[in-house]
Amino acid sequence: MKIGIIGASGYGGLELIRLLHNHPEVQRIVLFTSSEEGKVFSHKYTHLLNIYDQRLQKIEPSQLSEFDCVFSSAPAGVASQLIPPLLGKGTKFIDLSGDFRLVDSEVYKKWYKKEPPEQSAIEQSVYGLTEWNEEKIRNAQLIANPGCYPTAVLLALLPLLKANLIHSNQLIIDAKSGISGAGNQPNKMTHFSETNENTAIYKIHQHQHIPEIEQMIGTFTNGRSPITFNTHLVPMTRGILATSYAAVCDGFTEDDLVSCLKETYAMHPFVRIITETDKFGTNQVYGSNYCDIHVKVDPRTNRATIVSIIDNLVKGAAGQAIQNMNVQFDLAQTTGLTHVPSFI
Amino acid sequence: MKIGIIGASGYGGLELIRLLHNHPEVQRIVLFTSSEEGKVFSHKYTHLLNIYDQRLQKIEPSQLSEFDCVFSSAPAGVASQLIPPLLGKGTKFIDLSGDFRLVDSEVYKKWYKKEPPEQSAIEQSVYGLTEWNEEKIRNAQLIANPGCYPTAVLLALLPLLKANLIHSNQLIIDAKSGISGAGNQPNKMTHFSETNENTAIYKIHQHQHIPEIEQMIGTFTNGRSPITFNTHLVPMTRGILATSYAAVCDGFTEDDLVSCLKETYAMHPFVRIITETDKFGTNQVYGSNYCDIHVKVDPRTNRATIVSIIDNLVKGAAGQAIQNMNVQFDLAQTTGLTHVPSFI
Amino acid sequence: MKIGIIGASGYGGLELIRLLHNHPEVQRIVLFTSSEEGKVFSHKYTHLLNIYDQRLQKIEPSQLSEFDCVFSSAPAGVASQLIPPLLGKGTKFIDLSGDFRLVDSEVYKKWYKKEPPEQSAIEQSVYGLTEWNEEKIRNAQLIANPGCYPTAVLLALLPLLKANLIHSNQLIIDAKSGISGAGNQPNKMTHFSETNENTAIYKIHQHQHIPEIEQMIGTFTNGRSPITFNTHLVPMTRGILATSYAAVCDGFTEDDLVSCLKETYAMHPFVRIITETDKFGTNQVYGSNYCDIHVKVDPRTNRATIVSIIDNLVKGAAGQAIQNMNVQFDLAQTTGLTHVPSFI
Amino acid sequence: MKIGIIGASGYGGLELIRLLHNHPEVQRIVLFTSSEEGKVFSHKYTHLLNIYDQRLQKIEPSQLSEFDCVFSSAPAGVASQLIPPLLGKGTKFIDLSGDFRLVDSEVYKKWYKKEPPEQSAIEQSVYGLTEWNEEKIRNAQLIANPGCYPTAVLLALLPLLKANLIHSNQLIIDAKSGISGAGNQPNKMTHFSETNENTAIYKIHQHQHIPEIEQMIGTFTNGRSPITFNTHLVPMTRGILATSYAAVCDGFTEDDLVSCLKETYAMHPFVRIITETDKFGTNQVYGSNYCDIHVKVDPRTNRATIVSIIDNLVKGAAGQAIQNMNVQFDLAQTTGLTHVPSFI
């Protein structure tokens, strides 16, 4: 396979590069840039010396059709313009931004404050939450790879909502993320001295992943119940832990919820249900494509605490993108993604 | 004033020592130990060289009555046995453990799995949430200094519950704490390599601060609505951020909640209401006795996100203890506690 | 006393503000800015709400003479132009930048790549390493406050060089610093995701503190022996640990070095010699104005390892600046600087 | 290949498990324990669920000969007793402790304060610094895998010493390590709250890796010049950065040193010489088997600063052990070790 990567310099791009390097079916990777044409990539990122010594290429839309698969990890607003004209020419596209995730253009405009892509491209795109869309992904030309937070949240909640074990109308989701989710642009949000030794909430009720979660939840509930969803930055580089709170439907117990999750994901290698644990944290999946889920029901309140963890750069971005590529090309989902979590 | 400190070697004790050293009304501080009698304290903690070069003293209950005020920061189960026989002899006691916080002995037994103190001592004790109990604290012989999590949570929620601006029956509290809250005993929960780069949930639905929060909330609501309360460890040393979620009572807005909080704490120097902020985090109060509160109401859900932050070792432990001592001895609450947050 | 602060928004300025707030002889503090005139300071830094709610003032050189003391913590190149015309009008100036530290203008030009201040101003300035220049500081109108690294290094080495206990011609100094030393401007060097979980060397043999150290060492040695001095960034916010290596002069032992250091600093409250310790680290002085020193001689090599630690923002910047102000105004050196290291 | 791992629960063992899982020539891995016989490994380490669900086996020396290769990552003092009787039966052993590294038993006793292994076993062992001992490793039954610090230091210094470009008699090595090097046992050295925000020196002049470095350096110099070697703990989990200082031999320049390093390692895939870089840090090799080296000569002092970085758990332990196994079994050295550094 011949792979192109747009936006290679960002963290999503770097992680794609790291993971694809050892993918057994990938023969060639070409890196595209909008601003650093001709630069030797390992001069920019010396950790890639002897590994990616190629030069960054200018994006020539006409040449992208030579590739089997093109990943775009450019910021929101780039792929929406670049990709639609290239559809239908045989190349499969996987976009890691939010540009093609929302089916309703008005919702995109409201939350992203950018012009949406053309409607026909949105209609051709498939939401790439692999475990829930495998058949559509298999035939998709354009995959809208899910956001990091929605991946963690949806994998945990969808089975329970679909089985009517929890109520959809009182969902409260409190997510915590490492700083790499904020990307590679230095700014106040990512400045070490104001980020270290600091746990902070940001974008209260305003995060652009809210409509993405609600859209997917809405497919299993009547209409869309608005969720409460907040995000926090914690002083670590990688990892997302999402703590979701839901009222349990009458008559169901913790065992029912655990069983539902286990059955749902029995055949899915990257989702694990952890039952016995004193301390459930993001190091459990560090560097791997796993999403681990842990659920407890409090008999005092009949509410469930549903905790899910991912590595935001792997299952929350590049890893899931490759998992989707594997599905598109009829490879085992785990191809090139068999990393054991590093834990330490 | 002559001050005694029991449990000086723990983190609560070290912070008391740090803060009391510059308290203008404190003339003498004596450090007590149960196990290291005779040891020069600055040999154990070299950062205290030239500051606390005194020897640790054996706890002689009969001698404690020579002190104006004795702080106990020993683990739960110590003060419950030590302090009751000493009450009524003129010395004021401030206990930083959970031993005297719960008025119902059965609740203490259930959550702490220890023998409760004798009933008469519990009845004499006053819950030391300074801003809410100032009059009782002024005359108390024994203060049960609040837990770190309850301090952050209660200061944020009590005004809104008392004013009936939020519902008490759907409270969900998601708290995050630095690791110093776990104390100075090395173990798996505090081992650097498994704590760094890791955000983890622990004691789901089981934290012993749950009944403490419910007891205090119960004084403003009919009966006690059980809360959902979870705690997370984030890779930093100091700081607690508590994110509380509540349904807003019909007809009230974000402005109402903000006004209520501002009015409640207008005359209280250590509670600040922060209205404009992009990123609200624990470094905002680092090293100080402030509790800062930020509230947003989401018109989509009519739920409020109420965020409160403290330094767990200051307002969440030693600082509030000294604030209580100041009240007991008719000093300004801010005496010795005018530290500016360090921010970096 | 009436105090002015230029460059209040930087980390040196913030730390001055934090420390001066509780200085008993300071009545008024005015904050100056070159770019944010009129802004309420606590709107910019919400952690200062209720503490510094004043507006930032435009720098009017003519008005600076109303102040007893003006601190400048602007970047290199600002004070060199601003301060010289204001000298001799009664106000004392303390500059935290490198502008007035180097007596040789050519050396300044070479290492700072900026225009030096006028020669007469340099001649009036006094290098503010308090423990070594107390008499000159007392009468100085302009103090060049030492750099963070030089403070740690010089306090450790000067006594041993002056007493001819170590050779000056083989000095190798390996320094490690927290990231706050890089200031408050977000950039690649301070971007959390590339700084966390990373220990890095930078500016090898090129750091502008090299001539500052050599100049001061040169006052005790014949001519200037060039030193090898390197700096590393470690993933923490505050603290400098400098490990200095020197050949011990014939006939001297570890005891001699320890005694020399103890005697030198016997009357200096902010320098402590630590003799017994298993692990000697920066948390030992965190948040305080101490410089702690630990020395070991290796009989296998007859070389000494001399380790010194400071909080780079306190003894390495704002704390030492205030210590110098205390000397200038005939106050006890410890006035307003009695902070106990926080350790945790 | 059938692989056994002794000491699987430690961090060296966990990293072996992580890396060997994706090694293409490894068919079976059995985990041995001295204390937790019968325990399902993924119950102890839930991050290994579905990956290592096997039970821990009791060490039966007689059965170890069924394995092609046995790794021991038990603490010092275990392999010295366990392995010698098993040599010569076809199984190859790779010991990650210091037990077989020192050829002189007296030196082992002095620095490790343990009984050395029998002399014949020491004589059969080969020091596994792969790039420098490849031929001997190929035929070895017992490999003494190098220590983490010596790996970083020796790879950087040996070429320059062998080529007589730097003097061996003034070597000063200042090393910094993440906390994982201290292992998985909770104690004061690894307690988060006293390790975070703290850079500390420990074991000054006393580290047991000193004789290991000197022994290997001694093979290229006349006799052994004692080195000065110190180690620091920095607040991160993984990574070692060693800053070595040496006097450059007359007539040689930075270019000579760089060329020597480049030529030495031209055919060695895991050692990279980095020439252009503003900031050279451990994240450059994070998670990979690389050792990167950067050298600068200061014309002011004619001394070289030679900086080397490794991931202490990979090239400094498990990665190099597998690299050695690859050599022993005539596989390409990079087999199973092609991880791209994660950088973030």
Side-chain angles (χ1 to χ4, degrees):
Chain A
M1 290 168 62
K2 191 176 170 189
I3 305 291
I5 298 177
I6 295 165
S9 296
Y11 289 162
L14 282 174
E15 193 72 353
L16 280 167
I17 283 169
R18 181 174 81 86
L19 299 174
L20 287 170
H21 179 67
N22 287 315
H23 192 289
E25 302 298 327
V26 171
Q27 276 82 43
R28 188 160 172 231
I29 300 171
V30 177
L31 309 180
F32 293 98
T33 179
S34 59
S35 61
E36 299 181 289
E37 184 187 350
K39 183 156 198 169
V40 173
F41 200 58
S42 63
H43 290 181
K44 180 175 174 67
Y45 287 113
T46 53
H47 72 283
L48 296 174
L49 185 71
N50 297 354
I51 308 172
Y52 284 92
D53 294 330
Q54 58 184 279
R55 290 181 191 279
L56 289 165
Q57 306 291 316
K58 189 176 170 189
I59 303 172
E60 291 285 4
S62 63
Q63 297 178 358
L64 292 181
S65 55
E66 298 170 17
F67 292 86
D68 296 297
C69 185
V70 171
F71 295 88
S72 174
S73 63
V78 174
S80 63
Q81 307 307 311
L82 182 69
I83 292 178
L86 303 172
L87 294 175
K89 299 181 179 168
T91 300
K92 293 174 186 290
F93 288 89
I94 301 176
D95 177 36
L96 280 73
S97 84
D99 282 3
F100 298 99
R101 293 180 198 152
L102 299 175
V103 297
D104 183 336
S105 290
E106 293 305 311
V107 174
Y108 178 85
K109 271 197 244 181
K110 177 184 165 197
W111 290 87
Y112 283 84
K113 294 168 180 65
K114 291 182 189 294
E115 275 306 298
E118 56 184 63
Q119 190 60 30
S120 66
I122 296 176
E123 285 164 13
Q124 291 178 68
S125 77
V126 170
Y127 187 65
L129 189 68
T130 328
E131 284 76 10
W132 288 82
N133 255 349
E134 194 174 335
E135 282 316 304
K136 287 188 182 165
I137 290 165
R138 198 177 306 278
N139 301 305
Q141 283 188 76
L142 171 55
I143 289 174
N145 211 57
C148 51
Y149 290 119
T151 297
V153 170
L154 292 170
L155 288 175
L157 296 187
L158 289 183
L160 306 176
L161 288 167
K162 185 181 177 193
N164 288 311
L165 298 180
I166 57 173
H167 290 287
S168 65
N169 65 342
Q170 296 180 37
L171 290 175
I172 289 173
I173 304 161
D174 188 285
K176 299 91 181 166
S177 175
I179 314 292
S180 65
N184 73 340
Q185 287 305 311
N187 58 46
K188 279 280 168 196
M189 290 290 275
T190 60
H191 189 56
F192 186 90
S193 299
E194 299 178 23
T195 308
N196 185 41
E197 280 293 288
N198 190 17
T199 292
I201 193 167
Y202 68 105
K203 287 193 184 176
I204 300 178
H205 307 151
Q206 304 291 332
H207 200 287
Q208 70 275 12
H209 286 169
I210 291 172
E212 183 178 338
I213 296 169
E214 290 181 348
Q215 172 179 288
M216 195 67 179
I217 284 178
T219 61
F220 295 104
T221 58
N222 283 333
R224 291 183 199 170
S225 292
I227 59 170
T228 294
F229 173 73
N230 281 324
T231 52
H232 304 75
L233 287 179
V234 293
M236 62 186 198
T237 301
R238 287 176 180 239
I240 281 177
L241 182 145
T243 316
S244 299
Y245 299 91
V248 177
C249 295
D250 281 352
F252 295 106
T253 66
E254 186 172 302
D255 283 348
D256 296 320
L257 276 65
V258 170
S259 297
C260 169
L261 289 165
K262 284 192 171 179
E263 284 164 23
T264 303
Y265 294 117
M267 308 300 290
H268 292 277
F270 289 124
V271 184
R272 303 186 296 189
I273 315 308
I274 307 294
T275 48
E276 297 298 318
T277 180
D278 289 334
K279 184 185 172 190
F280 182 67
T282 54
N283 67 349
Q284 162 112 359
V285 296
Y286 193 97
S288 80
N289 200 48
Y290 288 104
C291 174
D292 283 3
I293 302 171
H294 181 58
V295 61
K296 287 280 177 193
V297 172
D298 185 0
R300 298 170 66 252
T301 61
N302 209 28
R303 280 194 285 259
T305 296
I306 307 147
V307 192
S308 46
I309 52 175
I310 59 169
D311 183 319
N312 59 307
L313 294 175
V314 188
K315 184 62 175 169
Q320 186 161 234
I322 294 169
Q323 186 183 358
N324 284 328
M325 180 192 80
N326 287 341
V327 172
Q328 287 178 306
F329 289 86
D330 277 323
L331 304 171
Q333 283 191 25
T334 54
T335 310
L337 293 172
T338 54
H339 310 79
V340 177
S342 73
F343 184 61
I344 41 163
Chain B
M1 290 168 62
K2 191 176 168 189
I3 305 290
I5 298 177
I6 295 166
S9 297
Y11 289 162
L14 282 174
E15 195 71 354
L16 281 168
I17 283 169
R18 181 174 83 85
L19 300 173
L20 288 170
H21 179 68
N22 287 316
H23 193 289
E25 303 298 326
V26 171
Q27 276 82 43
R28 188 160 171 230
I29 299 171
V30 177
L31 310 179
F32 292 99
T33 179
S34 58
S35 61
E36 298 181 290
E37 184 187 349
K39 183 155 200 171
V40 173
F41 200 59
S42 64
H43 290 182
K44 181 175 173 70
Y45 287 114
T46 54
H47 72 283
L48 296 175
L49 185 71
N50 298 354
I51 308 172
Y52 284 92
D53 294 328
Q54 57 183 279
R55 291 181 190 279
L56 290 165
Q57 306 290 315
K58 190 176 171 187
I59 304 172
E60 292 284 4
S62 62
Q63 299 178 356
L64 292 180
S65 54
E66 299 170 15
F67 292 87
D68 296 298
C69 185
V70 171
F71 294 89
S72 174
S73 64
V78 174
S80 63
Q81 306 309 310
L82 183 69
I83 293 178
L86 304 171
L87 294 175
K89 300 180 178 167
T91 300
K92 292 175 186 290
F93 288 90
I94 300 176
D95 178 36
L96 281 73
S97 84
D99 282 1
F100 298 98
R101 294 178 198 152
L102 299 175
V103 298
D104 183 337
S105 291
E106 292 305 312
V107 174
Y108 178 85
K109 271 197 244 182
K110 177 184 166 196
W111 290 86
Y112 282 85
K113 293 167 182 65
K114 290 181 190 292
E115 276 305 298
E118 56 183 63
Q119 191 59 29
S120 66
I122 297 176
E123 285 164 11
Q124 291 178 68
S125 77
V126 170
Y127 188 66
L129 189 69
T130 327
E131 284 75 10
W132 288 81
N133 255 347
E134 194 174 336
E135 283 317 304
K136 287 188 183 165
I137 290 166
R138 198 177 305 280
N139 301 304
Q141 283 188 75
L142 170 56
I143 289 174
N145 211 57
C148 51
Y149 290 119
T151 296
V153 170
L154 292 171
L155 288 174
L157 296 187
L158 289 183
L160 305 175
L161 287 167
K162 186 181 176 192
N164 287 311
L165 298 180
I166 58 172
H167 290 288
S168 65
N169 65 342
Q170 296 179 37
L171 290 175
I172 289 173
I173 304 160
D174 187 284
K176 301 90 181 165
S177 174
I179 315 291
S180 64
N184 74 338
Q185 288 304 312
N187 57 46
K188 279 280 167 195
M189 291 291 274
T190 61
H191 189 56
F192 186 90
S193 299
E194 299 178 23
T195 309
N196 185 40
E197 281 293 288
N198 189 18
T199 292
I201 194 168
Y202 68 104
K203 286 192 185 177
I204 300 178
H205 307 150
Q206 305 291 333
H207 201 287
Q208 70 276 13
H209 287 170
I210 291 173
E212 183 178 339
I213 296 170
E214 291 181 348
Q215 172 179 287
M216 195 67 179
I217 285 177
T219 62
F220 295 105
T221 58
N222 284 331
R224 290 183 200 169
S225 292
I227 60 171
T228 295
F229 173 73
N230 281 323
T231 52
H232 304 74
L233 287 179
V234 294
M236 61 187 199
T237 302
R238 286 175 182 242
I240 281 176
L241 183 145
T243 315
S244 299
Y245 299 92
V248 177
C249 295
D250 279 354
F252 295 105
T253 66
E254 185 172 302
D255 283 349
D256 297 319
L257 275 65
V258 170
S259 298
C260 169
L261 289 166
K262 285 192 169 179
E263 285 163 23
T264 302
Y265 294 116
M267 306 301 288
H268 292 276
F270 289 124
V271 184
R272 303 186 297 189
I273 315 307
I274 307 294
T275 49
E276 296 298 319
T277 180
D278 290 334
K279 184 184 171 190
F280 183 67
T282 54
N283 67 349
Q284 162 112 359
V285 295
Y286 193 97
S288 79
N289 200 48
Y290 288 105
C291 173
D292 283 4
I293 302 171
H294 181 59
V295 60
K296 287 281 178 193
V297 172
D298 185 0
R300 299 171 65 254
T301 61
N302 210 30
R303 279 194 286 258
T305 296
I306 307 148
V307 192
S308 47
I309 51 176
I310 58 169
D311 183 321
N312 59 307
L313 294 175
V314 188
K315 184 62 173 170
Q320 185 161 236
I322 294 169
Q323 187 182 356
N324 284 328
M325 180 193 80
N326 288 340
V327 173
Q328 287 179 304
F329 289 86
D330 276 325
L331 305 171
Q333 283 191 25
T334 54
T335 311
L337 293 172
T338 54
H339 310 79
V340 177
S342 73
F343 183 61
I344 41 164
Chain C
M1 290 168 60
K2 192 177 169 189
I3 305 291
I5 298 177
I6 295 165
S9 296
Y11 289 163
L14 282 175
E15 194 72 354
L16 281 167
I17 283 169
R18 181 174 81 86
L19 299 174
L20 288 170
H21 179 68
N22 286 315
H23 193 289
E25 302 298 326
V26 171
Q27 277 82 41
R28 186 158 173 232
I29 299 171
V30 177
L31 310 179
F32 292 99
T33 179
S34 58
S35 62
E36 299 180 287
E37 184 186 349
K39 183 156 199 171
V40 173
F41 200 58
S42 62
H43 290 181
K44 180 176 174 68
Y45 287 113
T46 53
H47 72 283
L48 296 174
L49 185 71
N50 298 354
I51 308 173
Y52 284 91
D53 293 329
Q54 57 183 278
R55 289 181 191 280
L56 289 164
Q57 305 291 314
K58 189 176 171 189
I59 303 172
E60 291 285 3
S62 63
Q63 297 178 357
L64 292 182
S65 54
E66 298 170 17
F67 292 87
D68 296 297
C69 185
V70 171
F71 294 89
S72 174
S73 62
V78 174
S80 64
Q81 307 308 311
L82 182 69
I83 292 178
L86 304 171
L87 293 176
K89 299 180 180 168
T91 300
K92 293 175 187 290
F93 288 89
I94 300 176
D95 178 35
L96 280 73
S97 84
D99 282 2
F100 298 99
R101 293 179 198 152
L102 299 175
V103 297
D104 183 338
S105 290
E106 293 304 311
V107 174
Y108 178 85
K109 271 197 244 183
K110 177 184 165 196
W111 289 86
Y112 282 84
K113 292 168 181 65
K114 291 182 188 292
E115 275 307 296
E118 57 184 62
Q119 190 60 28
S120 66
I122 296 177
E123 286 164 12
Q124 290 178 69
S125 79
V126 170
Y127 187 65
L129 189 69
T130 327
E131 284 76 10
W132 287 82
N133 257 348
E134 194 173 336
E135 282 317 303
K136 287 187 182 164
I137 290 165
R138 198 176 305 280
N139 301 305
Q141 284 188 73
L142 170 56
I143 288 174
N145 212 56
C148 51
Y149 290 120
T151 297
V153 170
L154 292 170
L155 289 174
L157 297 186
L158 288 183
L160 305 176
L161 288 166
K162 186 181 178 192
N164 288 311
L165 298 181
I166 57 171
H167 290 287
S168 64
N169 65 344
Q170 296 180 36
L171 290 174
I172 289 173
I173 304 160
D174 188 283
K176 300 90 182 165
S177 175
I179 314 293
S180 65
N184 72 339
Q185 288 304 312
N187 58 46
K188 279 280 167 195
M189 291 290 274
T190 60
H191 189 55
F192 186 91
S193 299
E194 299 178 23
T195 307
N196 185 39
E197 279 294 288
N198 189 18
T199 292
I201 194 167
Y202 69 103
K203 286 192 183 178
I204 300 178
H205 307 150
Q206 304 292 333
H207 201 285
Q208 70 276 12
H209 286 169
I210 291 172
E212 183 179 338
I213 296 170
E214 290 182 347
Q215 173 179 287
M216 195 67 180
I217 284 178
T219 62
F220 296 106
T221 58
N222 285 331
R224 292 185 198 167
S225 291
I227 61 170
T228 294
F229 173 73
N230 281 324
T231 51
H232 304 75
L233 287 179
V234 294
M236 62 187 197
T237 301
R238 287 175 179 240
I240 281 177
L241 183 146
T243 315
S244 299
Y245 298 92
V248 177
C249 295
D250 280 353
F252 295 105
T253 66
E254 187 173 299
D255 283 348
D256 296 320
L257 276 65
V258 170
S259 297
C260 169
L261 289 165
K262 285 193 170 180
E263 285 164 22
T264 302
Y265 294 117
M267 307 300 289
H268 292 277
F270 289 125
V271 184
R272 302 187 297 188
I273 315 306
I274 307 295
T275 49
E276 297 298 319
T277 180
D278 289 334
K279 185 184 170 191
F280 183 67
T282 54
N283 66 350
Q284 162 112 359
V285 296
Y286 192 98
S288 80
N289 200 47
Y290 287 105
C291 173
D292 283 3
I293 304 172
H294 181 58
V295 60
K296 286 282 177 190
V297 172
D298 185 0
R300 298 171 65 252
T301 61
N302 210 29
R303 280 193 287 258
T305 296
I306 307 147
V307 193
S308 46
I309 52 175
I310 58 170
D311 183 318
N312 59 307
L313 294 175
V314 188
K315 184 62 175 169
Q320 186 162 233
I322 295 169
Q323 187 182 357
N324 285 327
M325 180 193 80
N326 288 341
V327 172
Q328 286 179 306
F329 289 85
D330 276 325
L331 305 171
Q333 283 191 26
T334 54
T335 312
L337 293 172
T338 54
H339 310 78
V340 177
S342 73
F343 183 61
I344 40 163
Chain D
M1 290 169 61
K2 192 176 168 190
I3 304 292
I5 298 177
I6 295 166
S9 296
Y11 289 163
L14 281 174
E15 195 72 354
L16 280 168
I17 283 169
R18 182 174 81 86
L19 299 174
L20 288 171
H21 179 69
N22 287 316
H23 193 290
E25 303 298 326
V26 171
Q27 277 83 41
R28 187 160 172 230
I29 299 172
V30 177
L31 310 179
F32 293 98
T33 180
S34 58
S35 61
E36 298 181 289
E37 186 186 348
K39 183 156 200 172
V40 173
F41 200 59
S42 62
H43 289 181
K44 180 175 174 69
Y45 286 114
T46 54
H47 73 283
L48 296 175
L49 185 71
N50 297 354
I51 309 173
Y52 284 91
D53 294 329
Q54 57 183 279
R55 292 181 189 279
L56 290 165
Q57 305 292 315
K58 189 176 171 189
I59 303 173
E60 291 284 4
S62 62
Q63 298 177 356
L64 292 181
S65 54
E66 297 170 17
F67 292 87
D68 295 298
C69 185
V70 171
F71 294 88
S72 174
S73 64
V78 174
S80 63
Q81 306 308 310
L82 182 70
I83 293 179
L86 304 171
L87 294 176
K89 299 181 179 167
T91 300
K92 293 175 186 288
F93 288 89
I94 300 176
D95 178 36
L96 279 75
S97 83
D99 282 2
F100 298 99
R101 293 179 198 152
L102 299 175
V103 297
D104 183 337
S105 291
E106 293 304 311
V107 173
Y108 178 86
K109 271 197 243 182
K110 176 183 165 195
W111 290 86
Y112 282 84
K113 293 170 181 62
K114 290 182 190 294
E115 276 306 297
E118 57 184 62
Q119 191 60 29
S120 66
I122 297 176
E123 285 164 12
Q124 290 178 69
S125 78
V126 170
Y127 187 65
L129 189 69
T130 328
E131 284 76 10
W132 287 82
N133 256 348
E134 194 174 336
E135 283 315 305
K136 286 188 183 165
I137 290 165
R138 198 175 305 280
N139 301 304
Q141 283 189 73
L142 170 56
I143 289 174
N145 211 58
C148 52
Y149 290 120
T151 296
V153 170
L154 293 170
L155 288 174
L157 296 186
L158 289 183
L160 306 175
L161 288 167
K162 185 181 177 192
N164 288 311
L165 298 181
I166 57 172
H167 290 286
S168 64
N169 64 343
Q170 296 179 36
L171 290 175
I172 289 173
I173 303 159
D174 188 283
K176 299 91 181 163
S177 175
I179 314 293
S180 65
N184 74 339
Q185 287 304 312
N187 57 46
K188 280 280 168 195
M189 291 290 274
T190 60
H191 189 55
F192 186 91
S193 299
E194 299 179 23
T195 308
N196 185 40
E197 279 294 288
N198 189 18
T199 292
I201 195 167
Y202 68 105
K203 286 193 184 177
I204 301 179
H205 308 149
Q206 304 293 332
H207 200 287
Q208 70 276 13
H209 286 170
I210 291 173
E212 183 179 338
I213 296 171
E214 290 182 347
Q215 172 179 287
M216 195 67 179
I217 284 177
T219 62
F220 295 105
T221 58
N222 284 332
R224 291 185 199 168
S225 292
I227 60 171
T228 294
F229 173 74
N230 281 323
T231 51
H232 304 74
L233 287 179
V234 294
M236 61 187 198
T237 302
R238 287 176 180 239
I240 281 176
L241 183 146
T243 315
S244 299
Y245 298 92
V248 177
C249 296
D250 280 353
F252 294 105
T253 66
E254 185 173 302
D255 283 349
D256 296 319
L257 274 64
V258 170
S259 297
C260 169
L261 288 166
K262 284 192 170 179
E263 285 165 22
T264 302
Y265 295 116
M267 306 301 289
H268 292 277
F270 289 124
V271 184
R272 303 185 297 189
I273 315 307
I274 307 295
T275 49
E276 297 299 319
T277 180
D278 289 334
K279 184 183 171 191
F280 182 68
T282 54
N283 66 350
Q284 161 113 1
V285 296
Y286 192 97
S288 80
N289 200 48
Y290 288 104
C291 173
D292 283 3
I293 303 172
H294 182 58
V295 61
K296 286 281 177 191
V297 172
D298 185 1
R300 298 170 66 253
T301 60
N302 209 30
R303 279 194 286 259
T305 296
I306 308 147
V307 192
S308 46
I309 51 175
I310 58 170
D311 183 318
N312 60 306
L313 294 176
V314 188
K315 185 62 173 169
Q320 186 162 232
I322 294 169
Q323 188 183 356
N324 285 327
M325 180 193 79
N326 288 340
V327 173
Q328 287 179 306
F329 288 85
D330 277 324
L331 305 171
Q333 283 191 24
T334 54
T335 311
L337 294 173
T338 54
H339 310 79
V340 177
S342 73
F343 183 61
I344 41 164

